[in-house]
Amino acid sequence: MDEFLRAAIQEAELGLAESGIPIGSALVHNGRILGRGHNRRVQQGSVVLHGEMDALENAGRQPARVYRDCTIYTTLSPCAMCSGAILLYGIPRVVVGENRTFLGEEDLLRSRGVAVDVLQDPRCQELMTQFIRAHPSLWAEDIGT
């Protein structure tokens, strides 16, 4: 398994251990993790702290040229909000752990020139399948349904 996807999965597992939603992410530049994060909406009472947003926040402010050279790894297909941030900062590549439990805005990202690689990682699928089964209303709230 790719070390950067492994970091995103570790973040997702941390979120689950904190009684949150198990989605993790890592922002990578030139083979180095700039920021990693996990969905902390429950833990922080936040409306925006999805995994990708948390990783971006934890990376700190970067020059535009850095984002244009990054890959963002996420355990789950990015939602509209997170895809918007990816587009806003010009991140050219997204590696998705899985998109079977939730298909985000991959078509939008691709239509704007972002390379999207979907791995269908078994651990990512297991985390989300078990969480959705155990907490359907919290999951529905997180994706805005």
Side-chain angles (χ1 to χ4, degrees):
M1 175 189 301
D2 181 289
E3 69 179 294
F4 303 124
L5 180 62
R6 188 176 305 114
I9 291 171
Q10 289 169 350
E11 288 292 325
E13 291 169 338
L14 181 57
L16 185 62
E18 296 170 350
S19 299
I21 300 166
I23 302 168
S25 185
L27 182 68
V28 177
H29 179 257
N30 291 336
R32 186 174 72 86
I33 296 175
L34 292 181
R36 44 192 293 169
H38 54 278
N39 186 306
R40 294 189 304 142
R41 289 186 66 247
V42 172
Q43 301 91 310
Q44 299 292 321
S46 171
V47 298
V48 296
L49 278 182
H50 282 190
E52 299 91 336
M53 303 299 274
D54 195 39
L56 285 164
E57 182 70 16
N58 290 331
R61 202 169 131 207
Q62 301 293 327
R65 66 179 160 67
V66 170
Y67 295 115
R68 288 192 300 264
D69 235 7
C70 283
T71 297
I72 193 162
Y73 289 74
T74 180
T75 59
L76 186 64
S77 185
C79 72
M81 176 179 64
C82 295
S83 294
I86 290 164
L87 293 173
L88 178 67
Y89 291 107
I91 298 169
R93 181 171 178 241
V94 180
V95 177
V96 176
E98 69 101 358
N99 67 3
R100 290 184 179 147
T101 59
F102 175 77
L103 178 59
E105 298 295 330
E106 294 173 21
D107 288 343
L108 171 64
L109 291 168
R110 287 184 182 106
S111 77
R112 299 281 295 273
V114 176
V116 179
D117 302 318
V118 181
L119 304 179
Q120 303 303 9
D121 179 81
R123 179 63 180 144
C124 294
Q125 291 174 5
E126 175 188 33
L127 280 165
M128 287 311 300
T129 300
Q130 290 177 358
F131 180 82
I132 292 167
R133 188 177 306 123
H135 306 282
S137 62
L138 182 55
W139 172 239
E141 174 191 319
D142 196 66
I143 58 171
T145 60

